[in-house]
Structure formats: C-alpha cells, structure tokens
Amino acid sequence: MSLTPTYFVNIAVSVAVVMWAATLHEVAHGYVAYRCGDPTAKNAGRLTLNPLKHLDLFGSVILPLVMALLGGPVFGYAKPVPYNPNNLRHRRRDEVLVAMAGPASNLLQALLGMVVWRIWLQADPAFLLASSGAGYWVCDVLTLYVWVNLILCFFNLIPLPPLDGSHLIAFFLHGRALDGYYKLSQYSMPLLIVLLYLLPDFLHVDPLGVYFNATAGSLYDLMMYTNLPWGLS
C-alpha cells in the first residue's frame, strides 16, 4: 500500500460518498413515512438533505473510513430517522414501504450515477483510459458512487433486524413463524459480525462476499460495462 496524497484523497472521497448516500437513504425513509401518515421525522427536522442532521459518528465516518483503509467494500449508515409506525394509515403495508424506501433510494442514486457516467463517457471516451486529470477523477467518483449505493442497497436488503430487509420478510410471516422470526432477531447483530468479520478472517469463508458479488457486483457490471465502445469494456 502506497501512502500517497492520492491514496488519502481516495479515502476521503469514499467516506464523503458514503455519508451522502446514507443521508439520502434516511431521508427516503422519513419522507415515505410522512407520505404514509407519520410526521415524526418531519417534526424532528430530519427531512433535510443537510448531512449534518443525519450523520452518525461511527456509522457515517469511522466505519466507512476503516473499511476503506482495509480495502474492502465501503458502506456505512446514518442515524435512523425517528419513526412511529402507529401513525401509519395502513400499518402492515406502510411499514414495508417505509423500509424499502431506503434501499430504493440507493438504487436510484446508482442509476443516476450510471447515467451521468455514460453521458460523460459518450462525450469523451478517452477519459476512461486516463490515469490522471479531471476526467480520471470524475470517472473515479462516479464509479465509486454507483458501487457504494449498490452495496448499501443490497446490504440493507439482508433479512436481519435492524436492516430494512427484515421488514419485507416479516410482512410475509404470520403467527408462530413471525414470533420465531422476532425471537431470532435478538441474535442478528452478533450474526452480522460473524458474517462480516469472523468467517472471512478466521475460516476464510465469505458468504457476504459471495452475496455482494452475485447482487451488487453483477448489477454494477451490467450497469457500467455493458455496451461500452470497443476497447473500453
């Protein structure tokens, strides 16, 4: 690893991209909750794009910084928006809509990044092959923006509380199955730590890596490198 100024700039950009993507993720939760009848986030001043209102010191700064330094997938989280499901007009349905709004916002951000990247590429295909200059940095930031948002999208779709995917699973469960799922949820954070760190580091088994490659990785390749001009793919 070369500790050059470029290396530290890349780390800073990575953290900034995660902070912005996580901010929009939380705003999306709060906005959909508001549209479904719960004004809690709006009343708390959290329906704003000001990142300072949403940042979590560990999840928005320290975690993505450490992950960037380790060279792995970079993701993080912002402070969850306050939310009262009792205010929702159709609670069972609306809880799923509120939960899915976060990953959906990340997918939309990734699509926007792809569109801008392809427009830039169409204007000057040579910038993709450059190793320096403004075009290189635009390419680097845009591709990172797409990748980070895809990682955030699919990470949050993992069906373990408190991640958003757990609400989707709970929607389809009833009775004893739902009770059993809620009991399992108390072990979700230790399970995530095992999946993220212990299995890859000690047993060299990386189920989340396989999952990200099959989801975020495959979609990233499809979005960014399909139908590129010859010699650039």
Side-chain angles (χ1 to χ4, degrees):
M1 183 192 310
S2 178
L3 301 181
T4 63
T6 300
Y7 171 79
F8 289 108
V9 169
N10 282 330
I11 296 297
V13 169
S14 297
V15 174
V17 167
V18 170
M19 290 166 59
W20 177 248
T23 292
L24 290 184
H25 179 104
E26 291 303 325
V27 171
H29 282 312
Y31 178 74
V32 172
Y34 175 67
R35 296 290 295 179
C36 290
D38 176 33
T40 307
K42 182 178 185 299
N43 293 340
R46 294 290 302 277
L47 297 189
T48 172
L49 295 180
N50 179 2
L52 296 179
K53 296 288 187 178
H54 304 280
L55 295 187
D56 177 270
L57 178 60
F58 178 78
S60 307
V61 181
I62 297 175
L63 179 61
L65 178 61
V66 169
M67 301 191 84
L69 290 170
L70 293 176
V74 180
F75 58 88
Y77 56 87
K79 290 187 296 186
V81 292
Y83 162 60
N84 185 353
N86 293 321
N87 291 331
L88 299 175
R89 286 188 286 269
H90 307 283
R91 177 168 177 171
R92 185 168 174 81
R93 181 203 68 185
D94 292 347
E95 281 188 315
V96 176
L97 294 178
V98 172
M100 292 301 101
S105 75
N106 294 124
L107 183 58
L108 288 174
Q109 289 180 74
L111 289 171
L112 177 61
M114 177 202 71
V115 169
V116 175
W117 185 80
R118 285 183 173 271
I119 291 173
W120 189 275
L121 177 62
Q122 191 70 25
D124 184 13
F127 88 88
L128 188 60
L129 302 177
S131 58
S132 62
Y136 168 81
W137 284 106
V138 170
C139 173
D140 195 48
V141 171
L142 287 173
T143 54
L144 175 65
Y145 186 66
V146 173
W147 176 245
V148 163
N149 274 287
L150 290 176
I151 289 290
L152 283 174
C153 173
F154 287 103
F155 178 74
N156 279 284
L157 288 176
I158 294 173
L160 289 174
L163 301 178
D164 300 324
S166 64
H167 295 277
L168 184 60
I169 294 297
F171 179 78
F172 293 102
L173 298 178
H174 303 274
R176 295 176 63 182
L178 183 60
D179 292 338
Y181 182 70
Y182 284 143
K183 289 179 181 178
L184 176 66
S185 69
Q186 63 184 311
Y187 305 107
S188 59
M189 291 309 295
L191 182 57
L192 278 174
I193 292 173
V194 169
L195 290 173
L196 282 170
Y197 301 107
L198 298 185
L199 285 180
D201 290 344
F202 295 100
L203 297 180
H204 305 292
V205 177
D206 190 5
L208 280 186
V210 173
Y211 167 71
F212 284 136
N213 285 335
T215 53
S218 296
L219 187 54
Y220 178 86
D221 290 341
L222 179 65
M223 293 168 61
M224 303 299 283
Y225 297 117
T226 301
N227 298 324
L228 286 185
W230 182 84
L232 295 180
S233 58

